[in-house]
Amino acid sequence: MTNDELRLRAKNALSAGDYPLAERFARTLRELDETSAGVHVLFGNICAKTNQANNAIRAYQRAIELDAKNAEAHNNIGVIYKRSGNLPAAIKALE
């Protein structure tokens, strides 16, 4: 299975609400494509949906390390901080 196929399957599983399957595909994809910010954002999105806030934050931070201008990663990490009541961190993530 190609990386594109894995990404599509992970996104489809996420959209369908099959979070365990989405996570399995995303973990495999992350192992194969460690340097893709988009892969880390996808994994972060799955973690966020499954209430794994710390894992989501780490995934978004890794995406930002790989692509400092990744708006989705900055936004999503800010949302997680806001939901947890950490407004200073949320604001910082969005700056």
Side-chain angles (χ1 to χ4, degrees), residues 44-95:
N45 293 346
I46 294 165
C47 291
K49 284 284 193 182
T50 56
N51 298 316
Q52 299 177 58
N54 290 335
N55 288 338
I57 289 169
R58 280 193 293 276
Y60 296 139
Q61 287 172 334
R62 180 65 178 135
I64 291 166
E65 288 172 9
L66 294 167
D67 177 8
K69 294 182 181 184
N70 189 302
E72 186 177 0
H74 283 282
N75 177 72
N76 293 356
I77 203 169
V79 168
I80 290 174
Y81 282 133
K82 181 181 178 289
R83 286 183 183 157
S84 70
N86 190 344
L87 294 180
I91 291 167
K92 184 177 180 185
L94 297 172
E95 291 179 333

Side-chain angles (χ1 to χ4, degrees), residues 6-26 38-52 60 72 76:
L6 280 170
R7 185 174 316 201
L8 181 61
R9 288 183 184 210
K11 286 181 179 182
N12 288 342
L14 178 60
S15 294
D18 189 344
Y19 304 130
L21 182 60
E23 187 172 344
R24 279 197 305 272
F25 284 131
V39 168
H40 291 282
V41 169
L42 175 60
F43 186 73
N45 293 346
I46 294 165
C47 291
K49 284 284 193 182
T50 56
N51 298 316
Q52 299 177 58
Y60 296 139
E72 186 177 0
N76 293 356

Side-chain angles (χ1 to χ4, degrees), residues 22-44:
E23 187 172 344
R24 279 197 305 272
F25 284 131
R27 283 186 185 278
T28 300
L29 185 57
R30 221 172 39 155
E31 290 171 9
L32 296 172
D33 196 2
E34 171 63 29
T35 62
S36 168
V39 168
H40 291 282
V41 169
L42 175 60
F43 186 73

